Amino acid sequence: MINRRNLLAGGALSGAALAVSANSALNARAGGPPGSHGAHHGHGPKPKPTPSGSAPTGGPFRVPMPLPPVAAPIRSRGGVDYYSFPIMATTAELLPGVRTPVLSYGGRFIGPTIRARAGRPVSVEYRNQLTVPANVHLHGGHVAPEHDGHPMDVIRPGKSRVYEYPNRQRGTTLWYHDHSHHTEAEHVFRGLHGFYLIDDPEERHLRLPDGQYDVPIMLRESRFDGEGNLHFDPFDFDRPVVLVNGRSQPYFPVAARRYRLRLLNASTHGALTLRLDGLPMVQIGSDGGLLPKPVRLTELTLGPAERADVIVDFSKRRLGSKVVLEETRGPVLRFDVTREARDNSRVPDQLRPLPPMPKSTVNREVVFSTDFNTIQSLINGKVWDPDRIDAVIRHGATETWRITNVDTEFGGVNHTFHLHLVQFRVLDRNGRPPAPNERGLKDTVFIAPGDSVRVQATFRGHLGRYVYHCHMLEHSAYGMMAQMKIVR
């Protein structure tokens, strides 16, 4: 009988065969047999055994939370910053004392953080050193179609590709990840992801926490096999380990002052619900940048690919305190208040007004569903076809899209809607106004079973084809994706 575990992959049987093929290719380049789900790469010591799916041995909060390194441009010329990274297989210490085979941008489980500046272009060369195709999608980026990382527009093994990012958008927390069709879920699960932050001079007067007090935190579900390898199964979503910047249950020393935490759910499937041990989280930003005004929260839910910038004031706790960030599965990160520090930052009552919302001239319906007989994931009753255009949109048009999740059988199937090229505004959820922290600019929105969410976007800046899809990547990998074309 079909159950929630195997259903949520949302793939056809042919898609499952492709997933097995992808696993074989990944393990072949890692030096392991097909079907081994991530054998030893030959870099560093052989992994030591660790219980399947469990937290690391030795107890929680024994290792520090690392910060993804900020990349330095290889050169800056003509007002453009240039970067170059390999796409490569390597190993990383995700569990204490265990070297786990991973895929990486730049040789790390979380790729180098790119800190761009609003209005200043960035050019990134990626060199594919894998034995399978890969690519890069700047999630939330307003970029030309040839630089968007279209699922069929891949970098072949041994080849390189330059992506151009104009950064003509507000300051915000973006991220980059693989988007190669049928392999995007496994590639991201194994490590092809990283932060891309846009700093905006227009926001300096707000005096939000910055520098060392501006901390990107990537959270994502994972599962490990008995030898400490990442275990990817597109039909199994029992992923009990939440990695935090690539570590399981780390600690992070903080000063008794305000911090800006840039939270990203980089899971390929599961939503994360977070609480902070009684301390409020003041959300100041979402996917597309700052909210109009701060929103005080005691609990925050992020669907896959959603981001939230929150301010946490650790001066509310005495020195020596331990503040635990918890998810529904249990503790995921401990903040240790270890020192005093001067704090000139603030949380203003007003942040940044949203741009005007033009009148919408087109209404569209987007329906997420699953064929329970073939286990196919569908948009408007169709599996994605790269040769089919599902929506033709006039450049400059403002449209309203209603996204409905009709997957309510067998306990229901969650989805998240992601629109490439533009940010949108959430108009309502099930006919009611959106929550205060959903009233900013968004590129991804969570759609629970039976929910219907209306969003509005203006399509300007670039012409060409882009995709929109469920960002539970196992779903999009097996068909829950459609294609739009922006025309004159």
Side-chain angles (χ1 to χ4, degrees):
M1 181 177 183
I2 296 171
N3 58 34
R4 182 176 176 83
R5 175 176 291 183
N6 58 33
L7 171 65
L8 288 178
L13 295 180
S14 59
L18 283 165
V20 172
S21 175
N23 264 325
S24 298
L26 286 163
N27 292 313
R29 71 162 167 267
S36 64
H37 292 284
H40 181 51
H41 283 276
H43 301 287
K46 185 177 180 180
K48 299 176 183 178
T50 191
S52 177
S54 75
T57 57
F61 312 131
R62 298 295 182 89
V63 296
M65 182 186 76
L67 296 179
V70 176
I74 57 173
R75 65 182 181 277
S76 296
R77 187 170 60 206
V80 180
D81 294 325
Y82 294 86
Y83 298 83
S84 180
F85 307 122
I87 307 175
M88 59 184 291
T90 185
T91 63
E93 188 173 324
L94 308 181
L95 305 178
V98 178
R99 299 300 300 183
T100 297
V102 299
L103 303 182
S104 76
Y105 295 120
R108 292 175 177 266
F109 179 69
I110 299 178
T113 296
I114 295 177
R115 287 207 83 120
R117 194 172 72 201
R120 183 179 176 88
V122 159
S123 175
V124 189
E125 177 194 43
Y126 288 94
R127 309 182 306 278
N128 187 2
Q129 299 177 3
L130 305 177
T131 60
V132 295
N135 72 358
V136 185
H137 168 56
L138 179 58
H139 187 112
H142 186 63
V143 302
E146 62 268 28
H147 302 295
D148 188 56
H150 187 280
M152 306 305 294
D153 192 5
V154 297
I155 310 170
R156 298 291 172 186
K159 302 297 183 180
S160 63
R161 177 71 180 270
V162 174
Y163 293 85
E164 307 286 354
Y165 303 135
N167 300 317
R168 291 193 294 268
Q169 57 192 105
R170 292 173 165 223
T172 189
T173 301
L174 305 182
W175 66 301
Y176 60 97
H177 62 81
D178 181 87
H179 212 312
S180 53
H181 188 44
H182 276 310
T183 53
E184 63 262 53
E186 181 165 10
H187 283 187
V188 174
F189 183 84
R190 295 192 183 279
L192 289 187
H193 45 40
F195 280 101
Y196 188 103
L197 311 179
I198 300 179
D199 296 323
D200 196 336
E202 293 293 322
E203 298 171 359
R204 287 177 185 160
H205 71 283
L206 296 173
R207 292 192 5 238
L208 299 171
D210 61 5
Q212 64 179 305
Y213 308 110
D214 180 354
V215 181
I217 299 177
M218 178 186 291
L219 303 113
R220 46 153 291 178
E221 298 177 315
S222 300
R223 184 176 182 82
F224 295 87
D225 69 14
E227 292 190 338
N229 301 312
L230 284 166
H231 178 83
F232 178 79
D233 183 339
F235 293 93
D236 184 352
F237 295 98
D238 181 14
R239 298 172 179 175
V241 179
V242 177
L243 295 178
V244 183
N245 281 355
R247 296 291 189 275
S248 177
Q249 294 184 305
Y251 66 89
F252 186 62
V254 295
R257 54 152 292 156
R258 296 184 192 91
Y259 278 72
R260 178 178 187 166
L261 307 179
R262 299 177 184 255
L263 304 175
L264 158 66
N265 181 359
S267 302
T268 64
H269 190 267
L272 300 173
T273 297
L274 306 170
R275 295 168 296 279
L276 191 57
D277 202 12
L279 268 186
M281 296 176 283
V282 180
Q283 185 170 346
I284 60 167
S286 58
D287 305 336
L290 293 180
L291 297 170
K293 57 184 179 180
V295 179
R296 186 183 175 94
L297 303 170
T298 57
E299 183 176 281
L300 171 67
T301 296
L302 294 175
E306 287 189 297
R307 288 90 69 203
D309 286 19
V310 300
I311 302 294
V312 176
D313 189 352
F314 292 104
S315 71
K316 303 298 183 183
R317 296 293 175 88
R318 66 180 184 275
L319 290 183
S321 295
K322 316 293 185 184
V323 182
V324 177
L325 180 68
E326 293 191 345
E327 204 270 331
T328 51
R329 274 158 284 215
V332 295
L333 170 63
R334 191 183 73 193
F335 296 96
D336 296 349
V337 185
T338 61
R339 66 192 190 278
E340 300 279 1
R342 187 174 181 180
D343 189 1
N344 293 321
S345 71
R346 63 187 183 118
V347 183
D349 293 334
Q350 303 295 320
L351 293 166
R352 191 167 185 180
L354 294 175
M357 190 159 54
K359 182 179 179 181
S360 180
T361 58
V362 175
N363 295 312
R364 298 186 190 271
E365 298 288 335
V366 175
V367 178
F368 285 161
S369 66
T370 302
D371 185 323
F372 291 91
N373 294 314
T374 62
I375 321 299
Q376 286 186 314
S377 297
L378 310 170
I379 291 182
N380 292 345
K382 299 177 181 178
V383 173
W384 184 62
D385 180 349
D387 296 323
R388 184 185 70 235
I389 300 298
D390 300 277
V392 176
I393 300 172
R394 292 290 176 186
H395 181 264
T398 298
E399 299 192 355
T400 297
W401 294 24
R402 184 194 308 274
I403 305 98
T404 303
N405 178 359
V406 300
D407 278 334
T408 57
E409 298 183 73
F410 303 103
V413 182
N414 292 324
H415 297 297
T416 50
F417 171 75
H418 172 48
L419 182 62
H420 285 222
L421 175 63
V422 294
Q423 299 285 335
F424 54 74
R425 302 265 291 274
V426 177
L427 300 179
D428 54 58
R429 183 181 288 275
N430 301 324
R432 296 185 293 274
N437 63 329
E438 280 196 316
R439 296 178 185 177
L441 296 175
K442 298 276 291 170
D443 54 54
T444 307
V445 64
F446 184 78
I447 317 284
D451 274 8
S452 183
V453 176
R454 286 197 314 143
V455 304
Q456 182 171 313
T458 300
F459 298 84
R460 64 163 66 98
H462 299 288
L463 304 175
R465 63 173 185 163
Y466 296 86
V467 296
Y468 52 97
H469 57 93
C470 177
H471 213 284
M472 293 181 173
L473 291 179
E474 286 81 359
H475 299 182
S476 64
Y478 303 138
M480 194 169 275
M481 185 157 54
Q483 195 163 221
M484 62 185 178
K485 187 173 184 180
I486 316 301
V487 300
R488 291 283 182 200

